[in-house]
Amino acid sequence: MAPTPTEVDQKAINTIRLLAADMTAKANSGHPGAPMGLAPVAHTLWQYVMKFNSKNPNWFARDRFVLSNGHACALQYSMLYLYGYDYSLNDLEHFRKIGSKTPGHPERELPGIEVTTGPLGQGISNAVGLAIAEKHLAATFNKPDHKIIDNYTYAILGDGCLMEGVSHEAMAVAGHLQLGKLIAIYDDNHITIDGDTKIAFTEDVRKRVASYGWHILEVERGNTDVTEIYNAIEEAKKVDDKPTMICVKTIIGYGSFNQGTHGVHGSPLKADDIAHMKKEWGFNPEESFAVPKEVADLAKSRQEQGVKFEAQWNEEFKAYAAKYPNEAAELSRRIKGELPAGWEKSLPVYKPTDSAVASRKLSQLVLDDINSALPELVSGSADLTGSNLTNWKDVVSFQPPSTKLGDYSGRYMHYGVREHGMVAIMNGMDAYGGIIAAGGTFLNFVSYAAGAVRLSALSGHGIIIIATHDSIGLGEDGPTHQPIETLAHFRATPNVMVWRPADGNETSAAYKVAVESRHTPSILALSRQNLPQLEGSSIEKASKGAYVLNEDVTDPELIIASTGSEVYIARDAAALLAKQGKKVRVVSVPDFYTFDGQSEEYKLSVFPDGVPALSVEVMSAFGWDKYTHEHFNLDHFGASGPFQDIYNALEFTPEGIAKRGIATIDYYKGKAVNSRVHNAF
Amino acid sequence: MAPTPTEVDQKAINTIRLLAADMTAKANSGHPGAPMGLAPVAHTLWQYVMKFNSKNPNWFARDRFVLSNGHACALQYSMLYLYGYDYSLNDLEHFRKIGSKTPGHPERELPGIEVTTGPLGQGISNAVGLAIAEKHLAATFNKPDHKIIDNYTYAILGDGCLMEGVSHEAMAVAGHLQLGKLIAIYDDNHITIDGDTKIAFTEDVRKRVASYGWHILEVERGNTDVTEIYNAIEEAKKVDDKPTMICVKTIIGYGSFNQGTHGVHGSPLKADDIAHMKKEWGFNPEESFAVPKEVADLAKSRQEQGVKFEAQWNEEFKAYAAKYPNEAAELSRRIKGELPAGWEKSLPVYKPTDSAVASRKLSQLVLDDINSALPELVSGSADLTGSNLTNWKDVVSFQPPSTKLGDYSGRYMHYGVREHGMVAIMNGMDAYGGIIAAGGTFLNFVSYAAGAVRLSALSGHGIIIIATHDSIGLGEDGPTHQPIETLAHFRATPNVMVWRPADGNETSAAYKVAVESRHTPSILALSRQNLPQLEGSSIEKASKGAYVLNEDVTDPELIIASTGSEVYIARDAAALLAKQGKKVRVVSVPDFYTFDGQSEEYKLSVFPDGVPALSVEVMSAFGWDKYTHEHFNLDHFGASGPFQDIYNALEFTPEGIAKRGIATIDYYKGKAVNSRVHNAF
Ligand SMILES: [Ca+2]
Ligand SMILES: [Ca+2]
């Protein structure tokens, strides 16, 4: 039933506005305007709409909330503080200060923050992922008599989010998938940083979003009318086969002398402006961060309701568990993020006599073998299923049942040609919990998704990007599709694993570590071309990130360090050099990040002092210097032609590598050679 | 007047289809389906619509053509061959082979190819840039009696392009800007790689694109009806304040046994299938790459017209030059891509006594000073003008005059919050010629544009990305906005300059080299915070990419190498160390790419043997090992707080650097130290 707002509601809304004004003023930094415009929406959501328990922010059945215009976070922190999450007044007073719980943009590790936002367009895309996860787990675990998974996802987004390509991609996916429990609230204030939206944003947003298959609603009195906002949300809930965008007309910086201008967007309000608002709204102009008692009491009543919401659900879950003990145990495990005991035993293991297989195919063989042991794994592709080999036998597509192409319990996502949206959605699925999200594209086009990959790393989402066609070895598609800088890019990003397995055992190792790493995203760089199974590889050794492939060679005079599809060529080069009496160690380095985490002792055992090391990889040498003294890599773009022709032309052959190995041995003869893994501090 | 197609037209269309089938079959690789479906469109464009002179592909007044679905390039190569561009039958026969003129996706350096395409969504975005450039140069140079700049831009795009976020961004810009001479042809074939578009692409495309302000037209008989296609294009031309998208219904792989399925998308047709089509269409099934004489003659007639088109324009230009000699001389200079003599004299020069200024502001001071000397410079921002400082005093916005916000001769672009679209559009503007495109965003969000930056590098577009807020030094916005990996990413990309100037002279140097580099994109990483003017900096020295800042220090025992906002702190650290009797050289490295291009002698003079080098940069150390032995960098994300608090907390202070300098000196005492700029081969 629609609330009948009282004066206390109005007071609460103005309290939120003034908290945002005070926070940004005290910080002398931040964005007051959007929080002030959105205060009525936020008040409606927290007080009358969303189910949450602030005493247990991670209660699994909570509604999810995403502030896609993350720069408006003064709003979110104020709400979390008012509604009893673990924030103090001191946190609000230290907005945007080092060590506070109130950084410049909302970060996922903070209480009550579902996903890290700020980079525009990401939050709404994460929200699509959150809503997909809900649909999937509901379809997987609910029973006709027990809707144990049943929550809404709310997102607030602004003009900036709607302009970004990533939101286009994700919102198109949401429309196609008929995510009826996703409710986005568009802060329609006609202002962006550069000024009025008419400068650059004149599209018909409603028509555009409707074209994706969304349900569009309007709220005219967004600055004042809680009931109108509430009713629109109720209206949204009635349509269950379309996501809804509620367009709420607001005035940015409502109450300020400069309301409705971009002057209130990104800089604090002046003291006299804030004082004037406080007087106008019956607050003490001398006081900052004030929360009137009746406002606090109102919020408190909702907090108490939240405790009851969770208690009710816990009862409901008990009844579910009594009737469906296996499902309940499985859901509990997945909610906790624990892996099934022994899942890794299903990873395939190879012998050197097994046949040569492309690592993209090896990846599919892993998926074939582990998917039943790991039911939380949900795979997919950005319209390259047949190339990425991201599916497995008989996998069901995640689709609205009405399409007859699959159902919501399906574990395979068709993202369309939408790489950035895909990864941002995967981040949202990961944030929901209970799912391990994997998704594929060509390695080169992971760059399209760089913004989302970075947030995955920053927020610690354990997603798995299956990145096939990983080098010039893809051949004919040519330089537009051949990564040169991509591995360096992601190796340089904190908290990202970039696996480039050389054979079947290394591919299994990559999956083993990726699946076990629930707070680090992984990119698996996989070949289009066939790779032989290597003597000396094992899941255990590859899981260290780098290891010696030919341990039988003692006192080497040269180390050749390589990755992925070049390792077997390096091995053949070492064999050629052995015929010339040279003792050459071959080191496979499937993942820099994992190797960097090993002990100095182990690292020195792989790259010892006194032995020059030569890297071989058909990509940029950038960053290899941390391990190797010399580099046989690429400092230019690739070429279009059959794979072997390209490798031959660029001399990535046993002979070509051996030649550079000899040059390295000769150059360092008589010189002191320090292992690169040492550091002065 | 609409053409009355004859049997020869039909024969020509089937010739195009069979050339594409033969090319992909012979290569045993590539995409026959889209070329076969699009053959009637291509025939109409080349034979009846587009103005071009195949004997001078760079004739400036030509219509521009972009194949946004670049995987269909067998179509484009066939057309270029048929219409007399410098392609031979041998080139078609060597499709997708190393060294051929027919790589797997179209590349800009080839005759008749305007922009490199293949990565989906880029081509249509480039086309928006081409159309902007035309509008801008027309507004700048045309006279009421002389429309010397007056061409159309045609683009073919497919479902994949429309799904990508970059096309959303760029097409929204095109609609806002009312680019009436941009005509996009949508290959509406209902097939993507994963299968039918109903799997993931069910949006109402027409409604969506119309929402951007585009004019939408339909062609029902796209497989057969040249007249219908022609008439739609004529209809498009009648609307001059909206770009047009013509939705042409086609059947992918038209003529094949498997027409209309994704089976014909990405793999060659079988021999019997091709033979059957040849028989069906009256070709000799035994013959490949056949061009019937009447088809060749028809194309020849159009080629001859093209020679006349150019001759007419040359006459027109002569008349223009007679009446407007200054404008004609200026336009000729810009067409040739020559810079105005002495433009660089307007670059600001600083003395150490000049006040400290943020490098984003130094960048604006450069723009203030050079914009009149360099009228081809067109700047802009992705909705961050006030932060990027990418505008200059009194600059006019590039806007439709009807908006009253500017006009088409304006030199300032409001791209909206659309970074990827911005850079892809800039690539198109650069491809047109006569313009140097600059555009701003935060450095962190250049990553959103990574796909377009990469193509800029691959295609050699001399664009300038003004990337402000370049590090943790941006302060309060926090880790979501603070680049850590971004410089490494782009330093690892071939043919990209990544300037990070330390003061005013270095900022001028960055612009000098960026403007002079017409075939290498530049990213200028600029600070939010103030930087002092350095003793020892100069435009000349900084233009070498790296140089010794304090040449008075002889026989140093340590080198501290740094960039941008850390250089003055490194200088202060050296001063601290000098007080302890340590001789420390400070090296500023504003651009790796430029420094890498210097002679080994010069590089060794900066980083000599025997002296350990320590890098200092508040980003990933990844890649610094190529110059320095030790690193004081960041291997984690940043923090939200006032800039100086963050630097203090992370010890990026004179004291913090000096401490690591001492550790470096001590560690290398008595060890042989080789300069990292040596190489074995
Ligand atoms: Ca706005
Ligand atoms: Ca298609």
Side-chain angles (χ1 to χ4, degrees):
Chain A
M1 205 186 65
T4 313
T6 67
E7 272 177 30
V8 183
D9 288 275
Q10 191 53 54
K11 195 102 198 176
I13 290 166
N14 289 337
T15 300
I16 298 165
R17 287 180 173 135
L18 291 172
L19 283 175
D22 283 341
M23 284 171 73
T24 47
K26 176 115 199 237
N28 194 24
S29 172
H31 303 74
M36 292 167 69
L38 286 166
V41 166
H43 176 71
T44 309
L45 284 173
W46 262 266
Q47 187 64 41
Y48 298 112
V49 174
M50 292 198 298
K51 290 196 177 179
F52 60 88
N53 176 9
S54 57
K55 299 306 160 204
N56 179 15
N58 298 323
W59 169 41
F60 199 73
R62 70 194 180 275
D63 287 330
R64 303 309 199 267
F65 173 79
V66 175
L67 186 75
S68 192
N69 51 344
H71 56 268
C73 57
L75 176 72
Q76 196 168 10
Y77 301 140
S78 298
M79 301 313 293
L80 293 170
Y81 166 67
L82 283 173
Y83 284 84
Y85 288 80
D86 184 17
Y87 291 80
S88 66
L89 192 60
N90 188 60
D91 289 320
L92 300 196
E93 287 171 347
H94 289 79
F95 183 47
R96 296 189 148 221
K97 295 281 189 284
I98 287 190
S100 80
K101 271 186 190 158
T102 51
H105 292 86
E107 296 178 15
R108 186 192 172 210
E109 71 270 19
L110 298 168
I113 308 280
E114 304 290 352
V115 290
T116 302
T117 58
L120 294 171
Q122 299 289 339
I124 181 66
S125 308
N126 299 156
V128 174
L130 288 164
I132 288 171
E134 194 270 348
K135 272 253 182 278
H136 176 68
L137 291 179
T140 305
F141 288 101
N142 285 355
K143 301 292 176 184
D145 53 347
H146 287 283
K147 279 181 84 175
I148 202 75
I149 302 287
D150 183 19
N151 69 269
Y152 284 89
T153 300
Y154 298 94
I156 297 181
L157 76 167
D159 299 297
C161 290
L162 283 160
M163 284 190 256
E164 289 288 4
V166 62
S167 73
H168 154 72
E169 295 180 12
M171 290 174 84
V173 169
H176 170 76
L177 292 176
Q178 305 177 14
L179 302 176
K181 292 169 84 180
L182 171 61
I183 300 178
I185 295 173
Y186 165 39
D187 181 20
D188 187 14
N189 64 15
H190 287 284
I191 291 296
T192 68
I193 299 180
D194 270 10
D196 194 285
T197 51
K198 73 184 176 198
I199 293 172
F201 187 54
T202 48
E203 68 191 49
D204 183 336
V205 177
R206 290 150 175 84
K207 187 168 168 177
R208 197 242 295 177
V209 177
S211 81
Y212 299 139
W214 285 54
H215 172 214
I216 308 292
L217 293 170
E218 301 289 336
V219 169
E220 293 296 330
R221 294 176 302 281
N223 299 300
T224 51
D225 196 334
V226 168
T227 308
E228 191 183 353
I229 297 166
Y230 180 90
N231 286 338
I233 293 168
E234 286 299 300
E235 204 52 38
K237 290 181 177 176
K238 288 185 194 151
V239 174
D240 73 354
D241 62 351
K242 287 181 174 192
T244 297
M245 182 170 82
I246 305 175
C247 306
V248 181
K249 291 216 176 64
T250 69
I251 294 175
I252 192 167
Y254 185 87
S256 159
F257 292 136
N258 299 313
Q259 67 174 34
T261 73
H262 70 130
V264 300
H265 170 85
S267 29
L269 305 185
K270 296 228 166 64
D272 66 327
D273 195 0
I274 298 177
H276 172 262
M277 286 190 298
K278 287 179 181 170
K279 261 186 275 185
E280 197 74 9
W281 292 336
F283 287 69
N284 178 356
E286 306 297 313
E287 204 185 345
S288 288
F289 298 97
V291 179
K293 182 167 182 311
E294 63 272 31
V295 170
D297 287 346
L298 184 68
K300 183 100 184 145
S301 69
R302 184 67 176 176
Q303 286 176 49
E304 285 159 4
Q305 265 188 291
V307 175
K308 283 186 207 139
F309 289 144
E310 177 169 358
Q312 280 162 13
W313 186 81
N314 287 340
E315 284 306 307
E316 169 74 17
F317 190 80
K318 252 187 235 165
Y320 174 80
K323 193 157 174 193
Y324 307 104
N326 293 340
E327 287 88 339
E330 176 68 2
L331 177 58
S332 296
R333 177 187 74 74
R334 285 172 65 169
I335 289 175
K336 277 183 256 170
E338 286 169 1
L339 295 172
W343 76 273
E344 75 283 357
K345 295 201 182 86
S346 49
L347 286 164
V349 177
Y350 296 83
K351 298 183 302 294
T353 48
D354 290 335
S355 58
V357 181
S359 53
R360 61 176 171 147
K361 180 66 189 170
L362 292 165
S363 162
Q364 190 175 43
L365 294 171
V366 170
L367 295 174
D368 278 335
D369 285 358
I370 68 172
N371 77 75
S372 49
L374 210 59
E376 55 265 61
L377 185 69
V378 175
S379 189
S381 168
D383 196 49
L384 286 168
T385 299
S387 299
N388 298 147
L389 306 178
T390 29
N391 57 352
W392 56 80
K393 196 167 176 305
D394 299 329
V395 69
V396 175
S397 288
F398 181 87
Q399 294 277 5
S402 65
T403 61
K404 306 243 163 63
L405 297 166
D407 62 57
Y408 287 133
S409 72
R411 291 169 58 195
Y412 196 79
M413 303 286 307
H414 288 281
Y415 290 104
V417 190
R418 305 180 179 108
E419 300 82 5
H420 200 175
M422 172 175 76
V423 177
I425 288 170
M426 288 163 65
N427 286 342
M429 291 164 72
D430 182 80
Y432 191 89
I435 288 176
I436 297 177
T441 183
F442 288 170
L443 178 60
N444 194 51
F445 300 117
V446 180
S447 300
Y448 270 40
V453 174
R454 172 174 225 276
L455 275 169
S456 199
L458 175 58
S459 312
H461 294 300
I463 65 168
I464 301 172
I465 299 174
I466 300 171
T468 70
H469 295 61
D470 72 341
S471 77
I472 56 169
L474 63 83
E476 289 87 347
D477 272 344
T480 54
H481 287 53
Q482 294 164 345
I484 300 295
E485 76 287 5
T486 317
L487 296 188
H489 170 193
F490 294 113
R491 284 170 179 163
T493 308
N495 195 36
V496 175
M497 295 192 290
V498 187
W499 289 91
R500 190 165 188 249
D503 73 351
N505 291 329
E506 291 198 5
T507 305
S508 290
Y511 271 96
K512 177 170 187 292
V513 182
V515 167
E516 286 170 350
S517 301
R518 292 293 81 233
H519 301 291
T520 299
S522 303
I523 298 171
L524 313 188
L526 302 168
S527 73
R528 176 172 184 252
Q529 71 273 30
N530 284 347
L531 309 179
Q533 309 304 329
L534 300 170
E535 177 87 46
S537 79
S538 75
I539 295 179
E540 190 198 347
K541 286 191 271 185
S543 296
K544 292 187 173 166
Y547 65 101
V548 178
L549 198 67
N550 54 350
E551 284 177 331
D552 53 313
V553 173
T554 51
D555 300 319
E557 53 204 303
L558 172 71
I559 296 166
I560 304 180
S562 188
T563 76
S565 53
E566 284 75 73
V567 174
Y568 80 91
I569 314 176
R571 174 202 64 182
D572 293 350
L576 273 186
L577 288 166
K579 284 190 195 149
Q580 300 173 39
K582 306 289 183 194
K583 294 168 78 173
V584 178
R585 165 178 289 189
V586 178
V587 169
S588 182
V589 191
D591 177 42
F592 281 31
Y593 175 90
T594 302
F595 182 56
D596 289 346
Q598 303 299 323
S599 67
E600 174 143 310
E601 189 192 349
Y602 179 72
K603 287 192 268 187
L604 272 171
S605 79
V606 175
F607 292 109
D609 280 319
V611 191
L614 166 69
S615 66
V616 176
E617 191 176 52
V618 291
M619 319 248 175
S620 171
F622 204 79
W624 266 104
D625 300 74
K626 69 197 260 189
Y627 306 135
T628 56
H629 306 83
E630 299 296 322
H631 317 292
F632 181 31
N633 294 71
L634 288 178
D635 58 0
H636 54 78
F637 291 103
S640 168
F643 137 70
Q644 195 58 61
D645 291 355
I646 300 175
Y647 271 58
N648 289 346
L650 297 170
E651 299 187 32
F652 284 94
T653 56
E655 296 73 19
I657 295 171
K659 185 170 89 182
R660 285 150 182 101
I662 292 286
T664 302
I665 291 170
D666 291 349
Y667 182 80
Y668 286 91
K669 201 157 280 170
K671 290 201 177 82
V673 180
N674 296 314
S675 170
R676 288 279 168 103
V677 301
H678 286 294
N679 284 310
F681 57 86
Chain B
M1 208 185 64
T4 313
T6 66
E7 272 176 31
V8 183
D9 289 274
Q10 192 52 55
K11 194 106 201 171
I13 289 167
N14 289 336
T15 301
I16 298 164
R17 287 177 173 138
L18 292 171
L19 283 175
D22 283 341
M23 284 170 75
T24 47
K26 176 115 196 237
N28 193 24
S29 171
H31 302 75
M36 292 167 69
L38 285 166
V41 166
H43 176 70
T44 309
L45 284 172
W46 262 266
Q47 187 64 39
Y48 298 112
V49 175
M50 293 199 297
K51 290 195 175 181
F52 60 88
N53 177 7
S54 58
K55 299 305 160 207
N56 178 14
N58 297 323
W59 169 43
F60 199 74
R62 69 192 180 278
D63 287 329
R64 302 307 197 267
F65 172 79
V66 175
L67 186 74
S68 192
N69 50 345
H71 56 268
C73 58
L75 177 73
Q76 195 168 10
Y77 301 140
S78 297
M79 300 314 292
L80 293 169
Y81 165 67
L82 282 172
Y83 284 84
Y85 288 80
D86 184 18
Y87 291 80
S88 66
L89 192 59
N90 189 58
D91 289 317
L92 299 196
E93 288 170 346
H94 288 79
F95 182 47
R96 298 191 146 218
K97 295 280 189 285
I98 287 190
S100 79
K101 273 187 189 158
T102 51
H105 291 86
E107 296 178 16
R108 184 189 172 212
E109 72 271 19
L110 299 167
I113 309 280
E114 304 290 352
V115 288
T116 301
T117 57
L120 293 171
Q122 299 289 338
I124 180 65
S125 308
N126 299 157
V128 173
L130 288 163
I132 287 171
E134 194 268 349
K135 272 256 182 275
H136 176 69
L137 292 178
T140 305
F141 288 102
N142 285 355
K143 300 292 178 184
D145 53 346
H146 288 283
K147 280 181 84 174
I148 203 74
I149 303 289
D150 182 20
N151 70 268
Y152 285 88
T153 300
Y154 298 94
I156 298 180
L157 76 167
D159 299 296
C161 290
L162 283 161
M163 282 189 259
E164 288 286 4
V166 61
S167 73
H168 153 71
E169 295 181 12
M171 292 174 84
V173 169
H176 170 76
L177 292 175
Q178 304 176 15
L179 302 177
K181 291 168 84 178
L182 171 61
I183 299 176
I185 295 171
Y186 165 39
D187 181 21
D188 187 13
N189 64 15
H190 287 282
I191 291 295
T192 69
I193 299 179
D194 268 11
D196 193 286
T197 51
K198 75 184 173 195
I199 293 172
F201 187 52
T202 48
E203 68 191 51
D204 183 337
V205 177
R206 290 149 176 83
K207 186 167 167 179
R208 196 240 299 178
V209 176
S211 82
Y212 300 139
W214 285 55
H215 172 214
I216 309 291
L217 294 170
E218 302 288 338
V219 168
E220 294 296 330
R221 293 175 303 281
N223 298 301
T224 51
D225 195 334
V226 168
T227 308
E228 191 184 354
I229 297 167
Y230 180 90
N231 286 340
I233 294 169
E234 286 299 299
E235 204 54 35
K237 290 181 176 175
K238 286 184 194 153
V239 174
D240 73 355
D241 61 352
K242 287 181 173 191
T244 298
M245 182 170 84
I246 305 175
C247 307
V248 181
K249 291 214 175 64
T250 69
I251 293 174
I252 192 166
Y254 186 90
S256 158
F257 291 135
N258 299 313
Q259 68 175 33
T261 73
H262 70 131
V264 300
H265 169 85
S267 31
L269 305 185
K270 298 230 164 65
D272 66 327
D273 195 0
I274 299 177
H276 173 262
M277 287 191 297
K278 286 179 180 169
K279 261 184 272 181
E280 195 75 8
W281 293 335
F283 287 68
N284 178 353
E286 306 296 312
E287 204 184 345
S288 287
F289 299 97
V291 178
K293 183 169 181 311
E294 63 273 33
V295 170
D297 287 347
L298 184 69
K300 183 102 184 147
S301 70
R302 184 66 176 177
Q303 286 175 50
E304 285 158 5
Q305 265 187 292
V307 175
K308 283 187 204 136
F309 288 144
E310 176 169 0
Q312 281 163 9
W313 186 81
N314 288 339
E315 284 305 309
E316 170 72 17
F317 190 80
K318 253 187 231 164
Y320 174 78
K323 196 159 172 192
Y324 307 102
N326 294 339
E327 286 88 339
E330 176 67 1
L331 178 58
S332 296
R333 176 187 73 74
R334 286 173 64 170
I335 289 173
K336 275 182 257 169
E338 288 170 0
L339 295 171
W343 75 275
E344 74 285 356
K345 295 201 181 83
S346 49
L347 286 164
V349 178
Y350 296 82
K351 298 183 303 293
T353 49
D354 290 335
S355 56
V357 183
S359 54
R360 61 177 172 148
K361 179 67 189 171
L362 292 164
S363 163
Q364 191 176 43
L365 294 170
V366 169
L367 295 174
D368 278 335
D369 285 359
I370 67 173
N371 77 74
S372 50
L374 210 60
E376 55 266 60
L377 185 68
V378 175
S379 189
S381 169
D383 196 49
L384 287 168
T385 299
S387 300
N388 298 147
L389 306 178
T390 28
N391 58 352
W392 56 81
K393 199 169 173 301
D394 299 330
V395 68
V396 174
S397 287
F398 180 88
Q399 294 277 6
S402 64
T403 62
K404 307 244 163 57
L405 298 167
D407 63 56
Y408 287 132
S409 73
R411 291 168 59 195
Y412 195 78
M413 303 287 305
H414 288 280
Y415 290 104
V417 190
R418 303 179 181 109
E419 300 82 6
H420 201 175
M422 173 174 76
V423 177
I425 288 171
M426 287 163 66
N427 286 343
M429 291 163 73
D430 183 81
Y432 191 89
I435 287 176
I436 297 177
T441 184
F442 289 170
L443 178 59
N444 194 52
F445 300 116
V446 179
S447 301
Y448 270 42
V453 174
R454 174 173 222 276
L455 275 169
S456 199
L458 175 58
S459 312
H461 294 300
I463 65 167
I464 301 172
I465 299 174
I466 300 172
T468 70
H469 296 61
D470 72 340
S471 76
I472 56 167
L474 63 83
E476 289 87 349
D477 272 345
T480 53
H481 287 52
Q482 293 165 346
I484 299 294
E485 76 287 7
T486 319
L487 296 188
H489 171 193
F490 294 113
R491 283 170 179 161
T493 308
N495 196 36
V496 176
M497 296 192 290
V498 186
W499 289 89
R500 191 167 187 246
D503 72 352
N505 291 330
E506 289 197 6
T507 305
S508 290
Y511 271 97
K512 178 170 186 293
V513 182
V515 167
E516 285 170 350
S517 301
R518 293 294 80 233
H519 301 292
T520 299
S522 303
I523 297 171
L524 313 188
L526 302 168
S527 73
R528 175 172 183 251
Q529 71 273 31
N530 284 346
L531 309 179
Q533 309 303 329
L534 300 169
E535 178 85 47
S537 80
S538 75
I539 295 179
E540 191 197 347
K541 285 190 274 186
S543 297
K544 292 186 171 164
Y547 65 101
V548 178
L549 197 68
N550 55 349
E551 283 176 332
D552 52 315
V553 173
T554 51
D555 300 320
E557 54 206 300
L558 172 72
I559 296 168
I560 304 180
S562 188
T563 77
S565 52
E566 285 74 73
V567 174
Y568 78 91
I569 313 176
R571 173 202 67 183
D572 293 349
L576 274 186
L577 289 167
K579 284 189 196 150
Q580 302 173 37
K582 306 289 184 195
K583 297 168 76 173
V584 178
R585 165 178 287 189
V586 178
V587 169
S588 182
V589 191
D591 177 44
F592 282 30
Y593 176 90
T594 302
F595 182 57
D596 289 345
Q598 304 298 322
S599 67
E600 173 144 310
E601 188 192 352
Y602 178 72
K603 287 191 270 190
L604 272 172
S605 78
V606 175
F607 291 109
D609 279 320
V611 191
L614 166 68
S615 65
V616 176
E617 192 176 50
V618 292
M619 319 245 175
S620 172
F622 204 80
W624 266 104
D625 300 74
K626 68 199 260 189
Y627 305 137
T628 56
H629 306 82
E630 299 295 323
H631 318 293
F632 181 30
N633 295 71
L634 288 178
D635 59 0
H636 54 78
F637 290 103
S640 169
F643 135 69
Q644 195 59 62
D645 292 354
I646 300 175
Y647 272 59
N648 290 346
L650 298 170
E651 299 188 34
F652 283 94
T653 56
E655 296 73 19
I657 296 171
K659 186 169 89 181
R660 284 147 183 102
I662 292 285
T664 303
I665 291 171
D666 290 349
Y667 182 81
Y668 286 92
K669 202 158 280 171
K671 291 200 175 85
V673 179
N674 297 315
S675 170
R676 288 278 168 104
V677 302
H678 287 294
N679 283 310
F681 57 87

